[in-house]
Structures are given as structure tokens and as C-alpha cells.
Amino acid sequence: MNDDLQAAEDGLANASDRLAEAETTASADQKKAQRDSQSHRSAIYPAGSEYALCYAESQIMSAVVSVLNESLTESIRGFYKLRKAFITLDGILDAENRYMRGHPRRSLDSQRSRLADQSTTSTKQKKSLRDTVQQNEVVVGAGMQGTSEQRKPMGDDSDDDEFYDVNDTATETETYTGHLEIDGIVKDLSEASLNGPNSRSHSPDLPPPKSLPTNHQIMDHDPDSDVFSNPIDVFVHSGANLCFGLLLVMISMIPPAFNKLLFIIGFHGDRDRGLLLLWQASKFHNINGAMAGLCVLGFYHAIIGFADILPDPSENKASQDAAQQEIHGYPRERCQALLQDMRARHPKSQLWRLEEARMEAMDRHLDVAISLLEESAKHKSPLKQVEALNMFEKSLNAMYIHDYSLCAESFLKCVKLNNWSHALYYYIAGAAYVELYRQCVLSPSSDEKKKAYAAKATEYLQLAPKHAGKKKFMARQLPFDVMVTRKIQKWEARAREWGIPFVDAVGVSPLEEMVFFWNGFKRMNPSQLERSLENLSWSDRSEANRKNWQKEEKDEHAVLAVLRGATLRNLGRWDPAIKVLKEGALGVEKTELKGGMRDDWTMPCAHYEMGVISWMRRKEGGKGEEEWVRESEGWIEKTAKWESYELDARIGLKVATAQDTLKKYWAGRKA
């Protein structure tokens, strides 16, 4: 894990060797346990399940190494390993399902039992990956269809079971699938589906869901239950819930560039089930529980915190809807209780302090978040990667509170702490110095100070492209590296054409643009949002930039419109935000925003912003609530179907969450 986090070439090679050894050992131990009558025998799991779990964990980590190796071929092999781990883990959870069917809990009422039986019957009717089940083997779940072959034991490493078609008989609501360009053709990829039985859980001593959906049937017993009297069963249960839950959640958020691979291999995520499995695993006081807690908090603070269209718990209209919203919204009290529990379990770990800082940032307490991170930095972590994560989080928060000196200083420290995206770090540091330079231009300042900031801004911005492309993901440049390179080329060309210094050729605040792409406006308080509006006014309202603004192309005007509209929207000024978006972005011809070094992301982002505004206004008068939601849905669907554009994977995450929320809204209205 340490080598994986470092992502250095020598570290990845070392990790690959260790994981290969772990796979071999786990496979051999599993087969030995299956043959040895003296080995552990569980009432829940088949013999050797603990080793099958270790084998699956090794394969998951090997897949991570394969993707980080930056080779497309290795990445494909990594996804194949994920598929095999997926089947093994699904088999372990299927064993739990069979145990629960044989040992029903008394608390289940007759109606839920009947519904569970119906779900079981439906599952049995689906085609399975293999036709026969050998005695004492765990079968794979009903998610994949296959040919007339026999099912294999968990962890079987044979390579003759290549790829199988996914079950395409289920009806699914259209969701965001992103775009993948192959041979010049942009394709929408939405066919992959892996529909397994859903699951549910709640955490002990934490606020439980108000009601649990009947189609989520998992073993949700607490750690002190008699079912988990054997520590090996605890290990298998918590580990399988952790790994399978993480896979389901991560696969459900795969960026568009990966969708073709997932389609070929037969993967499709299930965020509902994955989150419930992770919450269940977080109950247990072992490494699996700690990792699950970290994954849960990371999901809510990073992924949900990045989104805008989210369920409102006050809108719950039915018990099942309440449980669904507990999964997909932000269960604040439950996350706070989980964090408190994890800090009590692992008081020396700095990862929980990081999550606490993220929680404060989500509550718009950015100064508190920075203080927590600075306090944590006083106690050096043995893991350099943890120090890097803390510094990166501090850098972002400094950017949000407009502390430009701290922002630049912190991002430059990130360069020394990890080697992932130096181009981005230099770019944001340079953008911070651009803001300091513009402050000097607008206020009485010494020429020396202004020249110093201009020099640093020029130095770091022009240094950024030299570091772009050094890191690749799936054999492709990192999206931000591509954007940074294009931006610098655009400004250098304008500086030559207009005969002005490079720093004066920089367009609409690049720092506020980065805030937008990290959704930092959502974390700002009103005074900080007003400061962002002041920064944006440099472009079109300052005398110092008046001549340059008159020469700007339409795409730069659209960038200003989207950033200003997003800021106004976060201030709750709906009408001014709509006016800005319509005049500056939506009213522009598409052809004027595409090609060359133009910013082509503005039009789809303007559509997304309009969708968010409609969603947030649904409680206002003038229109009925459902009419506002339909209007929001229309804007979001247009964004989802947009052709490929810069950073579409990043925006696609927000679009996918929005679609999921809207789907659940309508489901709740029907309930």
C-alpha cells in the first residue's frame, strides 16, 4: 500500500513483486484449507474463504499497480484482475446470503420476509456464470451471465474464463455515461451492467437510517452478535464488505475514458449497495473497519462534497425514500459519529484529522480546517503520502479563502512531497501570484513588489507545461495537464500578438477557474464569495484591463460568465446568475467556443449551472416544485449528452450525481 500511494516507478515495481507473491501464497493456502479437514470450518463461509479474501485483496491492489504503471495494456490486465476479484468477493457475500436465508432474523416482519423471498426467487431465475455448483464451493452472484460452463471455486486463478456478456435484460434509467473517442468517433457507452442483489446496513451507536429498503439484504449484524463469535468470520465478513463495497462505489464513478473497458469486461457499479456494505464494514474494530470508515468519509467529503444537486433529508416522503436519501445525501450526524468513533479507535492516525478538516470545510469553516491541518503537520506522519495529502488539502483551502501567499507556498511544497501532477501545482502557484500582482496594480503598491509578483507569476506559469505529460493515466495525459498546457500557449500567443507582458495577457482569473473546477465556491462563506466576485471584476470592470478585454474572444467572455454565474448562484442570487449565464455563455454560438486554444467547457458547464439553479429554486413560489425539478432535469440531460470537451470527466461526476438525485426524487414522489 505504501508503494502504491507513492506511485513512483521503483515503488510500483516493488509493490508488483510483493503482490504477486501474496497472490501465489493466498491461492496455495486456500487450496490447502479446502483439502485439510482440520482447517477452520465456518457456519457461514466455505473452507478457505479467509484466503480467498486475501487473494481478492491482492488482485485489487495489483490492478491499482497496473493502472498506475501508465500502460494501456497493463491497465486492461488490471481490469481483468478486478473482474476476478469481483467474482470472488461476490461469492463470499452470496455465502452470507445463503446463511441468512437459512437463519432468518426474528425482527424481520412477514412482509419483508415475503419481499426478500421474491427477490431471492427472481435472483435464482437469472442465468449464472456457470451451470453447476461443486460441493462446498461459493457460487458467484447473479450479476453476470455466462456460457454452459461449471462454476469455479472462489479464487480460482485459471485464465480460461475470459470475458462474458453482461446481463442486458434489466431496464435502467438513462444515466451519464461520458464520452470516449476512438479513431475519431465519439461514443456513448451505457450498455455495461452488472445487476446483483442490493444490500443494506447501519452502524452501531450511530444514527441509523429511518427505514431500510427491502431490496438491500445483507448480513447487517453488529460486531457483538453471536454470529461473529469466531474472529476468522469477523475478518472475512468485514474484509469482503470493505472490498466489494469499495469496488461497487468506485466502479459506479468510473470516468468516461474507462467506460469502454468496463463494457468489454462486464463491470457496472452499484453505489447504493456499495455504500451500505462500507457502512457495515466500518462497524468492526480491525483494519478492515478502519479502511471502510476512511472510504465512507472520503466518499462523502470528496465526492458528495464536490456535487451540487443532492437530496434534501427534509423532503423525505416515504420510508424507503428516506433510506435512499440517507445513502445518497450527506448524513452529517452519522458521519460525525463515525469520525468520532474512528478517532477514538485510532488516536494517533492523522488521516482522521484530515477528514475532520474536510468536514469543517464542507461546513464553510475554512479557517478552522486550515488550523486543523497545520496542527496535524506538527506531528510528522511516518507515511510521506499522508503529509502530502494534508498539504494538498491545505493548499486548496488556502485558495478558497484567498490567502494567495499561503496558497502558492503550499502548492510549491506539494511539488516536493509527491510526483503526481507537478504541472498543476506550478500552475496554481503561478495563478496565485497573478492575483497578488493584480492587487498591486489596483492599489497603491511599490513597483518592486509589483515586479516581484509579476516575475513569480510568469516563472511558475511558464514552468508548468514543462512538467505536463510526465504522468499518464491509462496511457493518456492527465486532464489538468492538457488544460494547463493549452492555457499557457493561449496566453503566450496573446502576449506576442498584443505586444504586452505575459502576466498581462493572462485572461479571466485562472485561480477562480481552479476554484470552480474543485467546486470551492461551495465551501466559501458569503464574504469569501464576494471576494471572488471582486477578483472576477478585474477582467471587464477594471480600467487597468479595459483595452485587453475589448480584444478578448467570446470564449473568454464565456469563462467569465460561468465563473461569475457560479459565484452568484452560491450566494443565492438566482436571477443575476441566470442573466449572466444567458448573456455571456448560453447566448454564444457553439462554433465560437470550439477549436484552436479556446475554452470549450464553458457551454456545457453553463447548462449544468442552470440545472443547479432550477433545482435550488424548487421551494420558491411562482412555479410548482415539480416544474422546477423538470426544468433542472432538462438542463442536466443536455449536459449529460454533450459531446466530448475539456475536463468532461470531472464535470461528469457532478452530472452523474445530479441524475441519480433526480431519479430518486421522482421515485420518492411516486411512493
Side-chain angles (χ1 to χ4, degrees):
M1 187 176 293
N2 181 56
D3 292 327
D4 275 2
L5 287 171
Q6 189 173 349
E9 187 174 348
D10 54 347
L12 292 177
N14 184 39
S16 182
D17 292 341
R18 291 186 179 186
L19 289 168
E21 181 182 354
E23 284 186 48
T24 302
T25 303
S27 179
D29 288 345
Q30 183 199 2
K31 292 174 181 177
K32 180 180 178 181
Q34 289 173 337
R35 293 192 301 265
D36 187 0
S37 60
Q38 301 300 315
S39 64
H40 170 68
R41 290 294 186 266
S42 169
I44 306 173
Y45 309 103
S49 292
E50 62 271 31
Y51 301 111
L53 173 62
C54 293
Y55 183 75
E57 291 175 337
S58 300
Q59 288 180 315
I60 292 172
M61 293 300 294
S62 293
V64 174
V65 171
S66 297
V67 173
L68 292 177
N69 269 324
E70 304 177 6
S71 163
L72 182 60
T73 302
E74 286 298 316
S75 297
I76 293 174
R77 290 175 179 169
F79 275 91
Y80 179 53
K81 283 182 177 288
L82 279 184
R83 174 192 178 274
K84 293 164 71 175
F86 195 104
I87 293 174
T88 299
L89 294 166
D90 190 45
I92 294 175
L93 293 181
D94 187 72
E96 293 185 353
N97 290 337
R98 293 201 309 274
Y99 176 83
M100 289 184 66
R101 290 196 294 269
H103 302 76
R105 297 176 68 165
R106 295 179 180 178
S107 60
L108 294 176
D109 57 35
S110 58
Q111 182 181 13
R112 283 187 53 183
S113 296
R114 177 174 55 81
L115 290 172
D117 290 342
Q118 290 175 355
S119 176
T120 301
T121 301
S122 175
T123 301
K124 288 181 178 178
Q125 289 173 349
K126 294 182 181 179
K127 292 182 179 179
S128 59
L129 182 66
R130 312 289 187 184
D131 284 333
T132 61
V133 183
Q134 299 177 1
Q135 185 176 6
N136 205 30
E137 293 175 353
V138 175
V139 298
V140 298
M144 287 186 174
Q145 295 183 10
T147 59
S148 56
E149 301 177 78
Q150 288 187 332
R151 285 179 177 160
K152 293 186 177 182
M154 292 184 302
D156 194 310
D157 196 29
S158 171
D159 290 334
D160 60 357
D161 57 340
E162 290 299 328
F163 303 135
Y164 296 86
D165 294 333
V166 298
N167 179 5
D168 58 0
T169 60
T171 301
E172 297 186 15
T173 303
E174 182 181 355
T175 57
Y176 177 79
T177 57
H179 310 276
L180 178 65
E181 186 170 340
I182 303 175
D183 299 330
I185 302 174
V186 177
K187 301 181 178 181
D188 286 329
L189 304 164
S190 58
E191 300 300 323
S193 177
L194 184 61
N195 299 305
N198 292 328
S199 54
R200 67 177 180 84
S201 75
H202 63 85
S203 194
D205 304 323
L206 305 180
K210 300 175 181 65
S211 176
L212 293 166
T214 57
N215 61 333
H216 289 294
Q217 297 296 324
I218 68 169
M219 184 179 288
D220 60 348
H221 298 68
D222 292 338
D224 57 358
S225 170
D226 292 339
V227 174
F228 298 123
S229 58
N230 190 293
I232 295 180
D233 288 348
V234 171
F235 169 75
V236 174
H237 174 75
S238 59
N241 276 261
L242 162 66
C243 295
F244 200 54
L246 182 59
L247 277 180
L248 290 172
V249 172
M250 294 301 297
I251 292 171
S252 73
M253 300 185 299
I254 288 293
F258 287 85
N259 281 351
K260 186 63 177 178
L261 283 175
L262 300 185
F263 172 72
I264 294 172
I265 297 173
F267 279 160
H268 192 76
D270 184 340
R271 188 181 297 186
D272 290 32
R273 187 185 183 198
L275 284 172
L276 291 169
L277 290 171
L278 288 171
W279 274 111
Q280 171 66 9
S282 69
K283 296 178 181 181
F284 294 87
H285 293 219
N286 55 21
I287 182 61
N288 297 325
M291 288 296 297
L294 196 62
C295 292
V296 166
L297 293 172
F299 171 81
Y300 286 113
H301 296 156
I303 305 303
I304 296 300
F306 182 65
D308 298 292
I309 298 181
L310 296 168
D312 183 352
S314 65
E315 294 178 338
N316 294 334
K317 302 231 179 337
S319 59
Q320 183 169 345
D321 184 57
Q324 294 281 359
Q325 300 233 4
E326 181 106 7
I327 298 170
H328 287 274
Y330 178 46
R332 185 182 308 276
E333 292 182 3
R334 205 174 176 199
C335 286
Q336 289 173 341
L338 176 62
L339 179 59
Q340 184 178 2
D341 186 28
M342 289 298 172
R343 289 197 65 183
R345 292 191 213 172
H346 313 282
K348 295 183 180 180
S349 175
Q350 294 186 26
L351 289 171
W352 310 118
R353 184 58 64 91
L354 171 63
E355 292 302 331
E356 185 179 1
R358 288 174 172 172
M359 187 176 288
E360 292 290 348
M362 283 192 68
D363 290 336
R364 300 178 184 251
H365 303 151
L366 291 168
D367 291 324
V368 177
I370 291 176
S371 297
L372 287 170
L373 293 168
E374 289 179 339
E375 180 64 28
S376 178
K378 295 178 181 179
H379 310 282
K380 192 169 183 179
S381 171
L383 282 176
K384 184 179 179 180
Q385 296 78 12
V386 175
E387 184 181 356
L389 286 172
N390 282 345
M391 185 56 65
F392 183 71
E393 193 71 21
K394 177 183 174 182
S395 305
L396 290 176
N397 290 336
M399 180 170 67
Y400 303 153
I401 65 170
H402 308 291
D403 189 337
Y404 305 125
S405 296
L406 179 62
C407 174
E409 174 189 330
S410 301
F411 271 111
L412 291 175
K413 287 182 179 179
C414 287
V415 173
K416 299 178 181 179
L417 290 172
N418 74 76
N419 60 355
W420 184 245
S421 185
H422 288 182
L424 177 65
Y425 303 153
Y426 283 124
Y427 179 82
I428 298 181
Y433 281 116
V434 168
E435 294 300 332
L436 290 170
Y437 165 76
R438 290 178 176 179
Q439 286 180 5
C440 289
V441 172
L442 294 174
S443 61
S445 300
S446 64
D447 288 341
E448 290 78 11
K449 198 172 184 180
K450 184 168 62 176
K451 289 178 181 178
Y453 287 143
K456 287 186 177 181
T458 302
E459 175 189 357
Y460 291 124
L461 287 175
Q462 294 185 332
L463 184 61
K466 298 177 182 178
H467 292 268
K470 293 186 177 182
K471 276 290 178 182
K472 289 184 171 60
F473 199 61
M474 292 286 293
R476 301 174 69 179
Q477 281 195 55
L478 300 177
F480 270 119
D481 283 9
V482 176
M483 180 184 184
V484 164
T485 302
R486 177 189 59 78
K487 283 280 192 180
I488 302 304
Q489 291 174 349
K490 179 180 181 179
W491 297 334
E492 288 177 337
R494 290 199 309 192
R496 292 191 299 268
E497 181 183 349
W498 297 349
I500 58 176
F502 173 81
V503 70
D504 291 326
V506 174
V508 176
S509 174
L511 202 70
E512 296 298 333
E513 190 177 40
M514 286 293 104
V515 171
F516 173 81
F517 282 117
W518 290 97
N519 208 6
F521 296 132
K522 185 178 178 180
R523 290 164 170 76
M524 293 183 184
N525 61 35
S527 64
Q528 291 158 352
L529 289 167
E530 292 289 352
R531 178 70 179 279
S532 288
L533 288 176
E534 292 176 11
N535 291 343
L536 293 171
S537 67
W538 160 275
S539 295
D540 64 338
R541 297 174 184 173
S542 69
E543 183 63 26
N545 193 57
R546 181 176 57 83
K547 292 182 179 179
N548 292 340
W549 186 249
Q550 292 173 350
K551 294 181 281 187
E552 289 285 11
E553 293 189 21
K554 290 292 185 180
D555 71 310
E556 202 71 24
H557 287 250
V559 170
L560 177 61
V562 172
L563 299 185
R564 184 172 282 160
T567 309
L568 291 168
R569 190 255 299 168
N570 277 277
L571 281 166
R573 302 176 190 171
W574 316 125
D575 291 331
I578 292 172
K579 181 180 179 182
V580 166
L581 291 168
K582 286 184 175 180
E583 293 178 354
L586 297 173
V588 182
E589 290 292 330
K590 284 186 180 181
T591 54
E592 296 185 84
L593 303 178
K594 295 174 59 178
M597 292 177 285
R598 296 186 179 98
D599 290 83
D600 64 353
W601 55 269
T602 51
M603 185 73 81
C605 287
H607 280 73
Y608 172 80
E609 284 296 320
M610 291 292 289
V612 177
I613 291 171
S614 296
W615 171 258
M616 291 184 169
R617 299 184 76 172
R618 66 195 184 281
K619 296 298 184 183
E620 283 189 358
K623 290 185 183 180
E625 178 177 336
E626 292 191 0
E627 188 175 349
W628 280 117
V629 175
R630 287 193 189 94
E631 184 177 299
S632 173
E633 195 169 36
W635 289 109
I636 295 300
E637 288 306 314
K638 287 181 181 179
T639 311
K641 296 175 181 177
W642 211 268
E643 61 193 37
S644 180
Y645 57 91
E646 195 170 59
L647 297 179
D648 59 353
R650 192 165 193 82
I651 303 303
L653 275 175
K654 299 202 285 189
V655 171
T657 303
Q659 287 184 313
D660 190 63
T661 299
L662 290 165
K663 181 175 68 175
K664 286 175 170 53
Y665 172 86
W666 292 117
R669 302 293 284 189
K670 293 176 183 178

